[in-house]
Amino acid sequence: MLKRLGGRWICRQCQTPYHEVASPPKIKGKCDKCSGELYQRSDDVPATIKERLKVFFAQTAPLIEYYTKTGKFAEINGEGEMDEIKQRILDAVGKKSTRRG
């Protein structure tokens, strides 16, 4: 998880996002679009990520367990097309789709 979260980089000039593994720039440290310098935001460095995960597991994870026990928690697969994900959410909360032809 640290590798995925900590691998994000952004161009200082045009704000194009990159990832060290998933979508690296052609030249390390340089934007493919504008040749701008790539930088890593302070919330994407390993120490900050570790702290965010620590807070998540201490404060958020217990809520997941609580709401699962009460039957008010639904886990939604967030991968796929936006319309598919939207439909999964609507199905989970028991609403009809508002898709337009």
Side-chain angles (χ1 to χ4, degrees):
M1 188 178 294
L2 281 176
K3 209 174 223 183
R4 182 177 62 83
L5 295 173
R8 297 187 292 194
W9 292 79
I10 299 172
C11 176
R12 284 197 191 279
Q13 291 179 319
C14 71
Q15 302 300 303
T16 298
Y18 292 90
H19 190 277
E20 291 174 354
V21 177
S23 59
K26 292 174 185 166
I27 300 170
K28 188 173 182 167
K30 290 244 183 223
C31 178
D32 294 344
K33 291 184 178 182
C34 72
S35 297
E37 175 192 6
L38 301 184
Y39 77 101
Q40 196 167 38
R41 297 181 334 189
S42 62
D43 59 337
D44 287 337
V45 297
T48 305
I49 294 167
K50 286 178 185 176
E51 184 60 28
R52 285 176 22 213
L53 290 172
K54 184 173 139 187
V55 169
F56 171 82
F57 287 112
Q59 297 178 8
T60 305
L63 291 174
I64 294 170
E65 183 179 344
Y66 170 80
Y67 283 107
T68 299
K69 287 179 181 176
T70 65
K72 296 179 181 180
F73 181 81
E75 190 168 339
I76 308 296
N77 178 350
E79 293 184 25
E81 296 295 320
M82 194 178 327
D83 283 342
E84 294 170 347
I85 299 165
K86 177 184 173 185
Q87 188 59 50
R88 289 181 204 138
I89 294 168
L90 292 172
D91 290 346
V93 296
K95 296 198 175 194
K96 300 250 186 221
S97 174
T98 57
R99 287 187 190 178
R100 295 180 185 170

